[in-house]
Amino acid sequence: MQYFPVFLDAKDLHCLIVGAGEVGARKLELILKTPATITVVAPWMCDTVKSYASHPQVTLIEREFEQDDLNAKDMVFVATSDETTNADIHDLARARKVLVNVVDNTPLCQFITPSIIDRSPITIAMSSGGVAPVLLRYLRQKLESVIPANISRLGAFSEKFRNKVKQTLDGVTARRYFWEDVLDGDIAELVEKGQNDKAEAQFDIALEAARQNQKPQGQVYLVGAGPGDPDLLTFRALRLMQKADVVVYDRLVSPQILELVRRDAEKIYVGKTKSNHTLPQQDINTLIAEQAKQGNRVVRLKGGDPFIFGRGGEEIQTLIEQGIDFQVVPGITAASGAASYAGIPLTHRDHAQSVTFATGHLKDGTIDLNWNALAHASQTLVFYMGLTGLPIICKKLTEHGLSAETPIALVQQATLPEQRVVTGTLATIMDNPETPTMKPPTLVIVGSVVSLHRKLDWFTRTVE
């Protein structure tokens, strides 16, 4: 981040605006949303600025800027049409340690004005660092459409009862759980509808109940993180990641997705590679359970889907045995993500009427599969963790009747910008010079549908 986001207390803020055209008027109207004291200096003022002459926060001075105008000022917006004057005022402000913004001249901005969504006391500010204002406007429009207009009522309600909750409940975790329950439940709905009397009555009942059982019960959420692209996360997955006290994640969770976890959550890495386990699976199961017993809200973040070669079933068996509540949040499995982003439909009327997911690495390290059932031309096969055993997969499928000319694709780091696709046939894939360069995580897709890749590819180029 070149610009550090921060919210200034404007109660005793003294702001100077140099220039009183329409640009200066926009800055004036923006700052007037705060309690700041504002001085505007310019030899000429537009009608919009003049209309604020009697405003108690505003002082208008019709003359050229003078150095002493910077005295006792905390920040200054420079909005004249003279570039030399703008640069001179910038230098003077920096020398006096006054925060300075030269409008529409990012290199001369010590701070920049963000795009603001105002639902006071809830305020959302966004910035592109001055490089993508149109994109920023687009994002603001999106947020405006999903944030309830009455969210300000909920902000005011939270402010009103904040101290009462703090005095009633001990511990940050207990208070956070309580507020999350309030904000997710019927009380918030009543507040947004303006039914504050009912909301306050229910709030008091809920707070007393929380007081009698101050330590909240820990819970585990097995969350599918999808194949890698953070845009493929479900809304529920993202919401829980933002609520988690502890996040236990594996190697297949992309850095882009991990970045979306709540900043102050404890993050515990338990990634596994072939013959190199940070923690054995049983230890992971125990770790998750112990964290929940300590009263934490635990998100077990797993690449793809927890119940498709994600060992989610093994983990919740431990939770059931120890009496710990849990929920499972499905994710887009790697097979679906890889196939879609590689332009390979898993089923197609002319190519495959079924699809089978198989693991290329069993619990005991072997690839002992039902090859007779797998070796059928009218289905698509997807092998998870199949890169190491690729020679065996090709050999076994041809030995059990699948044509050596059957197309095969290797998809590495599916859905991410680094995605690579290598194609061939069961007979030729091992001779492709690109095959030895492929690294996990790589999915293996076998079947006639792979022949559609070249035509349907929309995301990446084929390496052949």
Side-chain angles (χ1 to χ4, degrees):
M1 290 187 301
Q2 181 176 349
Y3 293 93
F4 182 74
V6 64
F7 287 83
L8 294 175
D9 184 353
K11 182 173 58 177
D12 298 314
L13 191 72
H14 293 268
C15 178
L16 173 66
I17 301 175
V18 182
E22 291 302 328
V23 175
R26 290 199 297 271
K27 298 302 180 185
L28 173 60
E29 290 175 332
L30 179 63
I31 301 300
L32 276 174
K33 292 179 178 290
T34 77
T37 300
I38 307 165
T39 302
V40 181
V41 175
W44 171 87
M45 299 189 179
C46 70
D47 291 340
T48 304
V49 173
K50 288 181 179 179
S51 69
Y52 290 101
S54 61
H55 196 287
Q57 293 175 239
V58 178
T59 300
L60 303 183
I61 304 176
E62 289 196 58
R63 59 164 170 76
E64 296 288 349
F65 166 81
E66 298 176 359
Q67 292 189 28
D68 288 346
D69 292 330
L70 289 168
N71 292 344
K73 300 300 188 297
D74 300 301
M75 65 165 50
V76 55
F77 287 96
V78 187
T80 82
S81 57
D82 188 302
E83 293 184 4
T84 300
T85 299
N86 291 347
D88 289 343
I89 297 174
H90 165 270
D91 294 342
L92 289 169
R94 292 301 300 267
R96 295 181 180 219
K97 307 299 183 183
V98 177
L99 291 171
V100 58
N101 175 290
V102 178
V103 180
D104 293 331
N105 192 337
T106 304
L108 295 184
C109 289
Q110 189 179 5
F111 70 95
I112 54 180
T113 306
S115 180
I116 296 172
I117 299 174
D118 186 7
R119 300 286 194 273
S120 296
I122 305 302
T123 305
I124 300 171
M126 300 179 295
S127 171
S128 67
V131 301
V134 176
L135 175 59
L136 199 61
R137 191 177 304 118
Y138 170 79
L139 292 174
R140 177 184 172 182
Q141 291 171 350
K142 289 288 187 182
L143 284 174
E144 290 274 17
S145 67
V146 299
I147 298 173
N150 292 330
I151 196 72
S152 60
R153 294 176 178 173
L154 200 53
F157 185 89
S158 300
E159 180 183 21
K160 179 178 180 179
F161 289 100
R162 181 183 178 190
N163 286 335
K164 184 175 183 179
V165 172
K166 190 173 183 179
Q167 294 168 3
T168 304
L169 301 180
D170 293 332
V172 174
T173 300
R175 293 195 290 269
R176 181 167 67 246
Y177 278 3
F178 174 76
W179 277 116
E180 286 174 352
D181 289 340
V182 168
L183 296 176
D184 282 339
D186 294 337
I187 296 173
E189 293 290 334
L190 291 171
V191 172
E192 289 184 16
K193 293 176 182 177
Q195 300 177 10
N196 276 37
D197 290 342
K198 290 183 179 179
E200 291 184 15
Q202 289 194 20
F203 185 91
D204 288 337
I205 293 172
L207 184 58
E208 177 60 22
R211 186 190 67 79
Q212 295 180 19
N213 182 21
Q214 293 184 12
K215 186 174 182 179
Q217 181 180 1
Q219 190 164 23
V220 176
Y221 299 88
L222 272 70
V223 175
D229 184 348
D231 284 346
L232 299 179
L233 280 170
T234 65
F235 286 128
R236 180 162 172 75
L238 182 59
R239 183 166 66 86
L240 291 172
M241 288 162 58
Q242 289 291 320
K243 287 185 175 183
D245 302 304
V246 177
V247 175
V248 180
Y249 68 101
D250 60 36
R251 181 177 59 92
L252 298 180
V253 176
S254 69
Q256 297 94 319
I257 288 177
L258 199 61
E259 186 69 19
L260 299 175
V261 170
R262 201 183 83 219
R263 294 293 180 190
D264 59 340
E266 181 182 359
K267 304 175 187 69
I268 303 176
Y269 176 68
V270 292
K272 297 187 287 289
T273 59
K274 181 176 173 61
S275 302
N276 181 19
H277 293 192
T278 301
L279 281 180
Q281 185 59 50
Q282 186 54 50
D283 289 349
I284 295 174
N285 301 348
T286 301
L287 169 68
I288 297 169
E290 290 301 320
Q291 288 291 336
K293 288 178 180 178
Q294 293 173 25
N296 292 314
R297 181 168 294 173
V298 182
V299 164
R300 173 63 169 112
L301 197 58
K302 308 171 77 70
D305 182 276
F307 278 6
I308 300 181
F309 300 119
R311 295 191 173 180
E314 298 176 39
E315 291 173 356
I316 65 174
Q317 283 180 328
T318 299
L319 299 176
I320 292 171
E321 291 169 0
Q322 300 196 26
I324 297 170
D325 290 338
F326 66 89
Q327 295 183 31
V328 181
V329 181
I332 295 177
T333 186
S336 179
S340 297
Y341 275 60
I344 302 173
L346 293 177
T347 62
H348 190 287
R349 285 193 302 173
D350 299 329
H351 295 271
Q353 290 72 53
S354 64
V355 58
T356 298
F357 299 161
T359 176
H361 178 70
L362 298 186
K363 190 172 183 179
D364 58 1
T366 66
I367 312 179
D368 185 16
L369 301 173
N370 186 347
W371 298 106
N372 284 326
L374 295 175
H376 287 281
S378 61
Q379 70 174 336
T380 303
L381 303 176
V382 181
F383 290 91
Y384 288 68
M385 300 164 287
L387 192 58
T388 301
L390 184 60
I392 298 174
I393 291 171
C394 294
K395 178 182 178 182
K396 290 293 185 181
L397 289 175
T398 53
E399 283 181 353
H400 288 78
L402 207 56
S403 169
E405 300 304 312
T406 302
I408 183 172
L410 313 179
V411 186
Q412 176 182 306
Q413 290 188 297
T415 76
L416 294 175
E418 301 81 12
Q419 175 177 304
R420 296 177 62 208
V421 182
V422 173
T423 61
T425 67
L426 292 177
T428 65
I429 191 66
M430 294 307 302
D431 295 327
N432 189 318
E434 295 294 330
T435 297
T437 69
M438 300 295 278
K439 305 294 183 183
T442 294
L443 237 65
V444 180
I445 305 176
V446 180
S448 177
V449 291
V450 174
S451 64
L452 300 172
H453 162 68
R454 183 183 295 275
K455 182 177 181 180
L456 303 183
D457 179 27
W458 60 273
F459 184 73
T460 187
R461 294 181 179 179
T462 306
V463 180
E464 294 188 346

